[in-house]
């Protein structure tokens, strides 16, 4: 791994005390990896807003540089401004700015900021340069996009609204990432694009997530997972090999860092990072 490659980790807000204790244990064990920052997800429509703030406090108290995720869909500018001011007052220096998805039952009320690009522009208008802003990128195309080219153009526009970096949706085909980076760089993007890494720990959960977010699981991986059936230990060992190789290929090919979707665990992320040659 080059000296410049950064490692970051993503958590979601815990729903009860036991989950909170697990999050703290995981975050503490990941401290040894010298993470550049940790991020905390935000529920669509603000449904877990207080959960996000609680987890941000917890992680900040452990000494991490924390990047709360913030999604804009379904919110007013005043609501977003209040959240931004609250984070600034806490000394938060980074944000992951997203559109989010409307929860079912909210009809078509998208709120005052329709796309993540509107949110990035609003953050810059309201908070200036108080935050380093990361946005989402989709090397295999956002599932609702009408065409790949149009999705790339929307991504480029979003970055130009003032994003400092991007984190990708997860993928298992390194070429999808390299092709995406190459194409958006040719369209004028010069910010770091950090691959999002999803460890493989549970086959049915991974297949469900991937169907929802449009991430492709290559056929050979699906077939191997199917062969393992309920043998969790073999799935984990296989997943560790696949995702470690992917991570190494990404770093060797010039990715500026890796962002781990930890699912609030630490073991798999630790093992992958420890296996990478630096
Ligand atoms: P956008 O960049 O706004 O894009 C959404 C869609 O709109 C794309 O298809 C794009 O092509 C299209 N589009 C953009 N601009 C225009 C335009 N001007 N005209 C027409 N179409 C346009 N979700 C959460 O709820 N909470 C989280 O914490 C969270 N964290 C995430 C972290 C990462 C790293 C990633 C990759 C995703 C995360 N998501 C999260 C999921 C994300 O909210 C969804 O994928 C959502 O559907 C899109 O969000 P976005 O910010 O990528 O949207």
């Amino acid at each position: 791994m080059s000296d410049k490659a950064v490692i970051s980790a993503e958590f979601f807000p815990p729903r009860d005390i036991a989950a909170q204790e697990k999050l703290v244990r995981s975050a503490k064990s990941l401290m040894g990896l010298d993470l550049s920052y940790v991020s905390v997800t935000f529920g669509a429509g603000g449904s877990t807003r207080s959960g996000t703030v609680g987890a941000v406090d917890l992680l900040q108290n452990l000494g991490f540089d924390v990047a709360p995720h913030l999604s804009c869909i379904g919110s007013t500018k005043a609501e977003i401004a209040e959240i931004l001011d609250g984070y600034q007052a806490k000394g938060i220096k980074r944000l992951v700015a997203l559109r989010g998805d409307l929860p079912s039952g909210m009809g078509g009320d998208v709120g005052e900021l329709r796309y993540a690009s509107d949110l990035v522009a609003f953050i810059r208008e309201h908070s200036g340069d108080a935050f380093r802003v990361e946005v989402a990128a989709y090397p295999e195309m956002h599932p609702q996009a009408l065409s790949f080219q149009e999705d790339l153009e929307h991504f480029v526009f979003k970055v130009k609204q003032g994003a400092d970096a991007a984190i990708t949706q997860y993928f298992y085909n390194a070429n999808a990432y390299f092709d995406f980076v190459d194409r958006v760089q040719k369209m004028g993007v010069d910010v770091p694009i950090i691959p999002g890494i999803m460890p493989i720990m549970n086959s049915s959960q991974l297949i469900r997530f991937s169907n929802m977010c449009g991430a492709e699981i290559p056929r050979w991986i699906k077939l191997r997972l199917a062969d393992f059936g309920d043998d969790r230990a073999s799935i984990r060992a296989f997943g560790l090999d696949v995702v470690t190789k992917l991570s190494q290929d990404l770093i060797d090919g010039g990715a500026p860092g890796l962002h781990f979707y930890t699912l609030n665990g630490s073991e798999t992320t630790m093992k992958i990072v420890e296996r990478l040659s630096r």
Side-chain angles (χ1 to χ4, degrees):
M1 194 191 297
S2 87
D3 286 347
K4 288 187 189 145
V6 290
I7 304 289
S8 52
E10 180 171 311
F11 298 104
F12 58 83
R15 287 193 193 87
D16 54 36
I17 296 292
Q20 184 172 315
E21 286 167 356
K22 180 181 176 197
L23 169 62
V24 170
R25 273 198 310 278
S26 297
K28 281 184 175 167
S29 6
L30 290 176
M31 274 174 172
L33 298 183
D34 195 20
L35 301 175
S36 68
Y37 72 97
V38 296
S39 78
V40 181
T41 61
F42 184 89
S47 56
T48 63
R49 176 178 159 185
S50 60
T52 302
V53 174
V56 166
D57 289 345
L58 212 67
L59 291 161
Q60 239 189 341
N61 288 339
L62 291 175
F64 286 104
D65 188 0
V66 187
H69 293 207
L70 177 57
S71 63
C72 59
I73 201 158
S75 296
T76 63
K77 287 183 180 177
E79 285 164 344
I80 298 289
E82 191 191 329
I83 297 175
L84 293 173
D85 294 346
Y87 283 141
Q88 206 175 333
K90 282 176 191 291
I92 293 292
K93 298 268 189 299
R94 297 173 169 264
L95 291 171
V96 182
L98 303 144
R99 181 195 72 174
D101 293 300
L102 274 180
S104 49
M106 273 193 76
D109 183 10
V110 295
E112 290 183 277
L113 302 163
R114 193 180 182 95
Y115 297 110
S117 52
D118 301 323
L119 176 61
V120 176
F122 182 72
I123 294 171
R124 291 302 177 218
E125 182 192 316
H126 183 79
S127 309
D129 288 333
F131 301 106
R132 177 179 168 86
V133 177
E134 320 261 342
V135 291
Y138 301 84
E140 295 177 340
M141 196 176 89
H142 183 264
Q144 290 160 358
L146 298 179
S147 77
F148 204 170
Q149 181 59 28
E150 211 177 273
D151 201 32
L152 294 176
E153 285 163 14
H154 294 150
F155 174 76
V156 173
F157 179 72
K158 175 165 70 173
V159 171
K160 289 191 173 157
Q161 295 310 294
D164 297 295
I167 305 167
T168 75
Q169 183 57 276
Y170 67 88
F171 53 85
Y172 294 105
N173 179 351
N175 285 335
Y177 168 80
F178 292 122
D179 177 66
F180 178 87
V181 172
D182 191 46
R183 290 174 72 180
V184 297
Q185 282 179 345
K186 286 186 177 133
M187 292 163 79
V189 167
D190 61 0
V191 302
I193 299 174
I194 311 290
I197 304 292
M198 179 66 89
I200 297 176
M201 293 180 284
N202 174 321
S203 147
S204 54
Q205 186 189 48
L206 181 71
I207 292 170
R208 203 174 55 246
F209 270 14
S210 304
N211 286 339
M212 273 181 341
C213 67
E216 187 178 83
I217 309 177
R219 184 174 155 80
W220 70 274
I221 295 184
K222 267 195 195 149
L223 291 171
R224 290 292 302 276
L225 290 173
D227 279 351
F228 293 128
D230 291 335
D231 179 356
R232 301 279 287 265
S234 297
I235 291 172
R236 279 168 185 258
F238 168 71
L240 196 57
D241 286 345
V242 169
V243 180
T244 305
K245 177 164 188 330
L246 172 70
S247 302
Q248 190 70 60
D249 288 348
L250 289 166
I251 294 293
D252 292 347
L258 301 172
H259 181 77
F260 283 87
Y261 296 112
T262 66
L263 305 178
N264 289 8
S266 59
E267 205 183 317
T268 316
T269 302
M270 297 274 295
K271 282 187 180 156
I272 294 170
V273 177
E274 281 165 6
R275 283 181 177 198
L276 293 175
S277 64
R278 296 170 182 248

PDB file of all heavy atoms in Angstrom, residues 11-28:
ATOM      1  N   PHE A  11     -19.949   2.944  10.079  1.00  0.00           N
ATOM      2  CA  PHE A  11     -20.821   2.289  11.066  1.00  0.00           C
ATOM      3  C   PHE A  11     -22.251   2.757  10.855  1.00  0.00           C
ATOM      4  O   PHE A  11     -22.477   3.794  10.224  1.00  0.00           O
ATOM      5  CB  PHE A  11     -20.391   2.656  12.488  1.00  0.00           C
ATOM      6  CG  PHE A  11     -18.994   2.222  12.840  1.00  0.00           C
ATOM      7  CD1 PHE A  11     -17.954   3.147  12.890  1.00  0.00           C
ATOM      8  CD2 PHE A  11     -18.706   0.892  13.115  1.00  0.00           C
ATOM      9  CE1 PHE A  11     -16.656   2.747  13.216  1.00  0.00           C
ATOM     10  CE2 PHE A  11     -17.421   0.483  13.440  1.00  0.00           C
ATOM     11  CZ  PHE A  11     -16.399   1.416  13.489  1.00  0.00           C
ATOM     12  N   PHE A  12     -23.203   2.012  11.420  1.00  0.00           N
ATOM     13  CA  PHE A  12     -24.581   2.521  11.423  1.00  0.00           C
ATOM     14  C   PHE A  12     -25.016   2.731  12.867  1.00  0.00           C
ATOM     15  O   PHE A  12     -24.436   2.122  13.783  1.00  0.00           O
ATOM     16  CB  PHE A  12     -25.535   1.575  10.657  1.00  0.00           C
ATOM     17  CG  PHE A  12     -25.589   0.163  11.178  1.00  0.00           C
ATOM     18  CD1 PHE A  12     -26.397  -0.161  12.260  1.00  0.00           C
ATOM     19  CD2 PHE A  12     -24.851  -0.841  10.578  1.00  0.00           C
ATOM     20  CE1 PHE A  12     -26.463  -1.455  12.742  1.00  0.00           C
ATOM     21  CE2 PHE A  12     -24.899  -2.152  11.059  1.00  0.00           C
ATOM     22  CZ  PHE A  12     -25.708  -2.453  12.138  1.00  0.00           C
ATOM     23  N   PRO A  13     -26.014   3.583  13.112  1.00  0.00           N
ATOM     24  CA  PRO A  13     -26.407   3.873  14.499  1.00  0.00           C
ATOM     25  C   PRO A  13     -26.974   2.621  15.179  1.00  0.00           C
ATOM     26  O   PRO A  13     -27.834   1.958  14.600  1.00  0.00           O
ATOM     27  CB  PRO A  13     -27.510   4.937  14.353  1.00  0.00           C
ATOM     28  CG  PRO A  13     -27.374   5.471  12.977  1.00  0.00           C
ATOM     29  CD  PRO A  13     -26.803   4.381  12.144  1.00  0.00           C
ATOM     30  N   PRO A  14     -26.488   2.284  16.372  1.00  0.00           N
ATOM     31  CA  PRO A  14     -26.994   1.089  17.062  1.00  0.00           C
ATOM     32  C   PRO A  14     -28.420   1.310  17.560  1.00  0.00           C
ATOM     33  O   PRO A  14     -28.789   2.441  17.875  1.00  0.00           O
ATOM     34  CB  PRO A  14     -26.032   0.940  18.243  1.00  0.00           C
ATOM     35  CG  PRO A  14     -25.458   2.301  18.454  1.00  0.00           C
ATOM     36  CD  PRO A  14     -25.483   3.012  17.140  1.00  0.00           C
ATOM     37  N   ARG A  15     -29.211   0.229  17.584  1.00  0.00           N
ATOM     38  CA  ARG A  15     -30.626   0.394  17.952  1.00  0.00           C
ATOM     39  C   ARG A  15     -30.896   0.132  19.431  1.00  0.00           C
ATOM     40  O   ARG A  15     -31.950   0.477  19.929  1.00  0.00           O
ATOM     41  CB  ARG A  15     -31.499  -0.541  17.104  1.00  0.00           C
ATOM     42  CG  ARG A  15     -31.589  -0.044  15.696  1.00  0.00           C
ATOM     43  CD  ARG A  15     -32.654  -0.701  14.870  1.00  0.00           C
ATOM     44  NE  ARG A  15     -32.408  -0.335  13.475  1.00  0.00           N
ATOM     45  CZ  ARG A  15     -31.598  -0.997  12.668  1.00  0.00           C
ATOM     46  NH1 ARG A  15     -30.991  -2.080  13.089  1.00  0.00           N
ATOM     47  NH2 ARG A  15     -31.405  -0.598  11.433  1.00  0.00           N
ATOM     48  N   ASP A  16     -29.985  -0.533  20.131  1.00  0.00           N
ATOM     49  CA  ASP A  16     -30.204  -0.769  21.564  1.00  0.00           C
ATOM     50  C   ASP A  16     -28.848  -0.793  22.278  1.00  0.00           C
ATOM     51  O   ASP A  16     -27.800  -0.643  21.647  1.00  0.00           O
ATOM     52  CB  ASP A  16     -30.988  -2.081  21.786  1.00  0.00           C
ATOM     53  CG  ASP A  16     -30.325  -3.250  21.098  1.00  0.00           C
ATOM     54  OD1 ASP A  16     -29.080  -3.288  21.059  1.00  0.00           O
ATOM     55  OD2 ASP A  16     -31.029  -4.140  20.584  1.00  0.00           O
ATOM     56  N   ILE A  17     -28.909  -1.008  23.583  1.00  0.00           N
ATOM     57  CA  ILE A  17     -27.675  -0.930  24.388  1.00  0.00           C
ATOM     58  C   ILE A  17     -26.663  -1.992  23.971  1.00  0.00           C
ATOM     59  O   ILE A  17     -25.465  -1.715  23.842  1.00  0.00           O
ATOM     60  CB  ILE A  17     -28.011  -1.089  25.896  1.00  0.00           C
ATOM     61  CG1 ILE A  17     -28.882   0.090  26.358  1.00  0.00           C
ATOM     62  CG2 ILE A  17     -26.756  -1.179  26.753  1.00  0.00           C
ATOM     63  CD1 ILE A  17     -28.181   1.433  26.390  1.00  0.00           C
ATOM     64  N   ALA A  18     -27.168  -3.213  23.705  1.00  0.00           N
ATOM     65  CA  ALA A  18     -26.237  -4.291  23.323  1.00  0.00           C
ATOM     66  C   ALA A  18     -25.533  -3.926  22.013  1.00  0.00           C
ATOM     67  O   ALA A  18     -24.308  -4.110  21.875  1.00  0.00           O
ATOM     68  CB  ALA A  18     -27.006  -5.606  23.169  1.00  0.00           C
ATOM     69  N   ALA A  19     -26.313  -3.374  21.072  1.00  0.00           N
ATOM     70  CA  ALA A  19     -25.722  -2.989  19.778  1.00  0.00           C
ATOM     71  C   ALA A  19     -24.741  -1.830  19.961  1.00  0.00           C
ATOM     72  O   ALA A  19     -23.716  -1.747  19.288  1.00  0.00           O
ATOM     73  CB  ALA A  19     -26.823  -2.603  18.801  1.00  0.00           C
ATOM     74  N   GLN A  20     -25.062  -0.959  20.917  1.00  0.00           N
ATOM     75  CA  GLN A  20     -24.165   0.168  21.193  1.00  0.00           C
ATOM     76  C   GLN A  20     -22.835  -0.329  21.765  1.00  0.00           C
ATOM     77  O   GLN A  20     -21.768   0.131  21.380  1.00  0.00           O
ATOM     78  CB  GLN A  20     -24.858   1.096  22.180  1.00  0.00           C
ATOM     79  CG  GLN A  20     -24.074   2.342  22.482  1.00  0.00           C
ATOM     80  CD  GLN A  20     -24.898   3.313  23.318  1.00  0.00           C
ATOM     81  OE1 GLN A  20     -26.066   3.557  23.031  1.00  0.00           O
ATOM     82  NE2 GLN A  20     -24.304   3.832  24.355  1.00  0.00           N
ATOM     83  N   GLU A  21     -22.933  -1.315  22.660  1.00  0.00           N
ATOM     84  CA  GLU A  21     -21.703  -1.866  23.245  1.00  0.00           C
ATOM     85  C   GLU A  21     -20.849  -2.537  22.167  1.00  0.00           C
ATOM     86  O   GLU A  21     -19.631  -2.437  22.159  1.00  0.00           O
ATOM     87  CB  GLU A  21     -22.058  -2.849  24.364  1.00  0.00           C
ATOM     88  CG  GLU A  21     -22.535  -2.108  25.616  1.00  0.00           C
ATOM     89  CD  GLU A  21     -23.188  -3.009  26.650  1.00  0.00           C
ATOM     90  OE1 GLU A  21     -23.349  -4.224  26.384  1.00  0.00           O
ATOM     91  OE2 GLU A  21     -23.566  -2.478  27.717  1.00  0.00           O
ATOM     92  N   LYS A  22     -21.540  -3.222  21.240  1.00  0.00           N
ATOM     93  CA  LYS A  22     -20.802  -3.886  20.152  1.00  0.00           C
ATOM     94  C   LYS A  22     -20.086  -2.839  19.287  1.00  0.00           C
ATOM     95  O   LYS A  22     -18.922  -3.021  18.901  1.00  0.00           O
ATOM     96  CB  LYS A  22     -21.780  -4.701  19.297  1.00  0.00           C
ATOM     97  CG  LYS A  22     -21.096  -5.416  18.160  1.00  0.00           C
ATOM     98  CD  LYS A  22     -22.052  -6.210  17.301  1.00  0.00           C
ATOM     99  CE  LYS A  22     -21.276  -6.807  16.127  1.00  0.00           C
ATOM    100  NZ  LYS A  22     -22.112  -7.250  15.050  1.00  0.00           N
ATOM    101  N   LEU A  23     -20.791  -1.745  19.003  1.00  0.00           N
ATOM    102  CA  LEU A  23     -20.192  -0.682  18.189  1.00  0.00           C
ATOM    103  C   LEU A  23     -18.930  -0.129  18.867  1.00  0.00           C
ATOM    104  O   LEU A  23     -17.889   0.035  18.225  1.00  0.00           O
ATOM    105  CB  LEU A  23     -21.220   0.437  17.964  1.00  0.00           C
ATOM    106  CG  LEU A  23     -20.691   1.742  17.358  1.00  0.00           C
ATOM    107  CD1 LEU A  23     -20.121   1.514  15.969  1.00  0.00           C
ATOM    108  CD2 LEU A  23     -21.792   2.784  17.285  1.00  0.00           C
ATOM    109  N   VAL A  24     -19.026   0.107  20.165  1.00  0.00           N
ATOM    110  CA  VAL A  24     -17.866   0.662  20.885  1.00  0.00           C
ATOM    111  C   VAL A  24     -16.698  -0.336  20.856  1.00  0.00           C
ATOM    112  O   VAL A  24     -15.549   0.031  20.586  1.00  0.00           O
ATOM    113  CB  VAL A  24     -18.249   1.040  22.336  1.00  0.00           C
ATOM    114  CG1 VAL A  24     -17.020   1.381  23.166  1.00  0.00           C
ATOM    115  CG2 VAL A  24     -19.227   2.209  22.332  1.00  0.00           C
ATOM    116  N   ARG A  25     -17.011  -1.631  21.079  1.00  0.00           N
ATOM    117  CA  ARG A  25     -15.952  -2.665  21.036  1.00  0.00           C
ATOM    118  C   ARG A  25     -15.284  -2.690  19.661  1.00  0.00           C
ATOM    119  O   ARG A  25     -14.063  -2.714  19.542  1.00  0.00           O
ATOM    120  CB  ARG A  25     -16.556  -4.053  21.321  1.00  0.00           C
ATOM    121  CG  ARG A  25     -16.635  -4.432  22.786  1.00  0.00           C
ATOM    122  CD  ARG A  25     -16.825  -5.939  22.969  1.00  0.00           C
ATOM    123  NE  ARG A  25     -17.900  -6.515  22.187  1.00  0.00           N
ATOM    124  CZ  ARG A  25     -19.198  -6.493  22.537  1.00  0.00           C
ATOM    125  NH1 ARG A  25     -19.563  -5.908  23.663  1.00  0.00           N
ATOM    126  NH2 ARG A  25     -20.120  -7.051  21.768  1.00  0.00           N
ATOM    127  N   SER A  26     -16.132  -2.672  18.613  1.00  0.00           N
ATOM    128  CA  SER A  26     -15.586  -2.734  17.251  1.00  0.00           C
ATOM    129  C   SER A  26     -14.731  -1.515  16.962  1.00  0.00           C
ATOM    130  O   SER A  26     -13.626  -1.623  16.426  1.00  0.00           O
ATOM    131  CB  SER A  26     -16.715  -2.789  16.219  1.00  0.00           C
ATOM    132  OG  SER A  26     -17.468  -3.952  16.391  1.00  0.00           O
ATOM    133  N   ALA A  27     -15.260  -0.339  17.315  1.00  0.00           N
ATOM    134  CA  ALA A  27     -14.531   0.903  17.021  1.00  0.00           C
ATOM    135  C   ALA A  27     -13.188   0.899  17.754  1.00  0.00           C
ATOM    136  O   ALA A  27     -12.153   1.257  17.179  1.00  0.00           O
ATOM    137  CB  ALA A  27     -15.369   2.108  17.430  1.00  0.00           C
ATOM    138  N   LYS A  28     -13.203   0.410  19.013  1.00  0.00           N
ATOM    139  CA  LYS A  28     -11.941   0.386  19.777  1.00  0.00           C
ATOM    140  C   LYS A  28     -10.940  -0.559  19.116  1.00  0.00           C
ATOM    141  O   LYS A  28      -9.754  -0.257  19.033  1.00  0.00           O
ATOM    142  CB  LYS A  28     -12.200  -0.043  21.223  1.00  0.00           C
ATOM    143  CG  LYS A  28     -12.755   1.085  22.067  1.00  0.00           C
ATOM    144  CD  LYS A  28     -12.892   0.634  23.507  1.00  0.00           C
ATOM    145  CE  LYS A  28     -13.323   1.781  24.404  1.00  0.00           C
ATOM    146  NZ  LYS A  28     -13.753   1.325  25.729  1.00  0.00           N
TER     147      LYS A  28
END
